[in-house]
Amino acid sequence: VLTVYPNPADARMSMRLAEAPMKPVFWRMSDQSGREVKVGRIERGIKEVTIDTQNLPAGMYIIQIFNDEDSWVPKKVIIQH
């Protein structure tokens, strides 16, 4: 399970996994047109990461977390400045 907060976000937001992954997982943030705007990696044993969103235009974005085998349900995020 993935939790994204605060939502709406301003200069930064956090992603928290229910359990720390046993191996690295990757995340991708896309705008409404599907264009990738940010990507990252969550290392093994880490449950929470912070994303800098201050340079992103205000709007709706989709965050997807995935690994080699599967992906989590995408989360919608609103950026407001």
Side-chain angles (χ1 to χ4, degrees):
V1 176
L2 172 64
T3 304
V4 180
Y5 65 94
N7 192 7
D10 183 11
R12 67 187 54 83
M13 59 180 236
S14 296
M15 292 188 298
R16 181 182 301 177
L17 300 171
E19 296 182 19
M22 299 302 288
K23 59 184 179 177
V25 294
F26 301 90
W27 60 268
R28 173 177 46 230
M29 187 174 191
S30 305
D31 64 14
Q32 290 182 16
S33 66
R35 184 176 57 95
E36 189 175 271
V37 295
K38 287 194 172 273
V39 294
R41 177 176 162 143
I42 302 173
E43 296 298 331
R44 181 178 72 88
I46 303 294
K47 286 177 61 169
E48 187 168 341
V49 296
T50 300
I51 302 170
D52 179 2
T53 57
Q54 63 185 347
N55 294 325
L56 292 176
M60 188 181 80
Y61 295 85
I62 303 293
I63 293 182
Q64 179 75 38
I65 294 195
F66 55 96
N67 61 23
D68 293 338
E69 290 95 33
D70 52 21
S71 63
W72 282 256
V73 174
K75 295 285 184 175
K76 292 180 183 177
V77 176
I78 303 293
I79 304 296
Q80 289 182 336
H81 301 294

